[in-house]
Amino acid sequence: MQKLSSIRLPWPTDWAALFGAERPLILEIGFGYGAFLKHLARTNPDANIVGIEIANQCLASVERAVEREKLTNVRIIQSMAETALHHLFTPATLSQVHINFPDPWFKSRHSHRRLMQRDTLDVIVSRLQPEAALYLATDIIEYAEMSAELLASTPGLDNVLPTPWANAMVGRVVTKYEGRAQREGRACYYFAYRRNAQPAPEVPVIVEGEMTHVVFKTPLSLDDILARFEGVENRPDADTIIKSLHSYRGDNVVMFEMFTHEPTIDQHYALVVSPRENDNEYTLKVGTLGYPRHTPGLQKAVAFMGDWLVRLHPDAVIVHHKLGEY
Ligand SMILES: C[S@@+](CC[C@H](N)C(=O)[O-])C[C@H]1O[C@@H](n2cnc3c(N)ncnc32)[C@H](O)[C@@H]1O
């Protein structure tokens, strides 16, 4: 089976076309070794089931199992939850979202990437259809308490249970983490919420922007540019980190290896400087290496590196540029 990823899928994705049928769309975030995802597929033959996961081992193992068991109503997507929710799914399209045992190390330094936080819950609510269900399970009491508070303060969701959570959920298949918690005698906390008629937070689908480039003039040669390169980090705003990591020389190009972090996506890609026909003129643009998507962060990176290139020499100037709003 071909590996699908949020980097390669269209933004937003036409799920009916991908599955070959228009059916209710069910999402599981962080399916791990897939027990729950396979159960969803078997018990919802008339739905399109999407599982997203970041761990390669889990992806490979569940892809093999889905193929072996001929579960044709499942698609496995390599993606961070945030990327899938913001770029792939349109508002009011999901009939169920399942999150099982997320963030086991949520108190560590990774806590800022925690799945259950306001921004991510807002985009989940925005993507749920009216009456759609959101299920969460955890075995960490602090995580349960934090989630209970967050969910209860979300106007677009109603608790289906009479209590903030339940300690058992009838009919559930036991996931790997859940099994371990049970064997080790830890309690589990299950949440069940339903999308109500309150307006959802407005969270637009992030689609790709224009391809950007900078044309500049400098007395420096490609070798001079290469020699002056040093890795730098830039934070054009509170949410974006741009890093230039390495530089490389090709036949008639200099290539910069870049990394950009944005709230919804991390990208590793190349920016390329190549000479133009006019003397001393060069173009800086995004290279095709690594399948870059033209997000606001990438546009900011082109602007940042264009600026860096002209600052290398007092006589260097930008001739023209296409940089969107940056
Ligand atoms: C503790 S495991 C639980 C796995 C499985 N749901 C279970 O119950 O056995 C958490 C899983 O979520 C995945 N994960 C963590 N953060 C994620 C994110 N932001 N987007 C997608 N998957 C994520 C991890 O790779 C891991 O497989």
Side-chain angles (χ1 to χ4, degrees):
M1 188 197 278
Q2 194 196 0
K3 207 178 237 184
L4 300 170
S5 82
S6 54
I7 282 293
R8 289 188 174 260
L9 282 168
W11 291 357
T13 302
D14 180 346
W15 296 103
L18 189 72
F19 281 91
E22 177 97 53
R23 294 183 295 210
L25 199 52
I26 300 178
L27 171 66
E28 184 181 359
I29 296 173
F31 54 73
Y33 283 92
F36 197 87
L37 192 71
K38 288 186 280 174
H39 176 73
L40 278 175
R42 288 188 210 106
T43 52
N44 294 278
D46 296 327
N48 292 334
I49 320 281
V50 179
I52 62 173
E53 179 51 67
I54 41 176
N56 278 324
Q57 253 185 318
C58 298
L59 285 157
S61 155
V62 179
E63 266 171 8
R64 280 196 301 272
V66 162
E67 201 169 23
R68 200 171 48 238
E69 296 177 33
K70 299 193 172 32
L71 298 171
T72 54
N73 60 336
V74 186
R75 295 292 180 276
I76 307 291
I77 316 283
Q78 178 171 35
S79 180
M80 292 203 312
E82 299 76 3
T83 310
L85 290 162
H86 284 273
H87 297 268
L88 306 186
F89 294 101
T90 50
T93 48
L94 292 169
S95 67
Q96 294 176 23
V97 171
H98 298 265
I99 306 171
N100 290 311
F101 303 87
D103 309 308
W105 304 281
F106 87 103
K107 280 204 264 181
S108 72
R109 65 192 172 87
H110 300 295
S111 62
H112 67 286
R113 302 291 294 267
R114 199 174 65 211
L115 198 62
M116 285 303 285
Q117 53 178 300
R118 175 49 59 204
D119 288 354
T120 312
L121 189 55
D122 278 353
V123 64
I124 291 175
V125 173
S126 131
R127 301 315 186 231
L128 290 175
Q129 290 173 336
E131 303 285 308
L134 169 63
Y135 298 101
L136 166 72
T138 179
D139 59 339
I140 305 169
I141 181 63
E142 293 90 343
Y143 203 92
E145 286 168 349
M146 177 275 297
S147 302
E149 214 170 289
L150 192 65
L151 288 161
S153 61
T154 303
L157 294 174
D158 289 338
N159 190 357
V160 175
L161 305 170
T163 50
W165 59 68
N167 286 112
M169 198 63 97
V170 183
R172 259 186 72 98
V173 68
V174 176
T175 73
K176 186 163 178 253
Y177 265 77
E178 195 169 11
R180 185 190 294 172
Q182 288 172 354
R183 281 192 302 281
E184 293 172 3
R186 264 174 289 126
C188 292
Y189 311 93
Y190 302 95
F191 295 81
Y193 273 75
R194 186 176 300 128
R195 177 81 181 90
N196 59 28
Q198 298 281 336
E202 276 198 30
V203 189
V205 179
I206 305 177
V207 295
E208 279 188 90
E210 283 187 314
M211 288 223 207
T212 47
H213 68 256
V214 173
V215 174
F216 64 99
K217 201 174 168 92
T218 180
L220 299 176
S221 68
L222 285 177
D223 286 329
D224 295 332
I225 292 171
L226 192 75
R228 283 168 170 74
F229 177 84
E230 48 187 28
V232 278
E233 182 172 317
N234 175 258
R235 291 173 186 252
D237 52 58
D239 294 328
T240 311
I241 303 171
I242 297 165
K243 290 182 186 176
S244 60
L245 303 170
H246 299 285
S247 58
Y248 304 89
R249 179 76 157 90
D251 266 355
N252 205 20
V253 293
V254 163
M255 192 182 89
F256 302 120
E257 184 184 341
M258 305 290 298
F259 173 80
T260 299
H261 165 82
E262 298 168 71
T264 63
I265 190 164
D266 289 347
Q267 296 199 80
H268 201 162
Y269 57 97
L271 295 184
V272 175
V273 178
S274 52
R276 288 161 59 89
E277 280 175 7
N278 295 356
D279 261 0
N280 296 342
E281 272 190 26
Y282 298 87
T283 305
L284 168 73
K285 62 180 187 194
V286 180
T288 49
L289 204 67
Y291 208 82
R293 304 297 291 255
H294 293 261
T295 55
L298 244 72
Q299 297 181 331
K300 289 173 196 171
V302 175
F304 167 65
M305 288 306 282
D307 189 46
W308 177 81
L309 284 159
V310 294
R311 278 191 285 109
L312 291 180
H313 195 283
D315 297 336
V317 286
I318 290 185
V319 177
H320 65 88
H321 62 72
K322 198 167 131 219
L323 287 172
E325 56 191 273
Y326 310 105

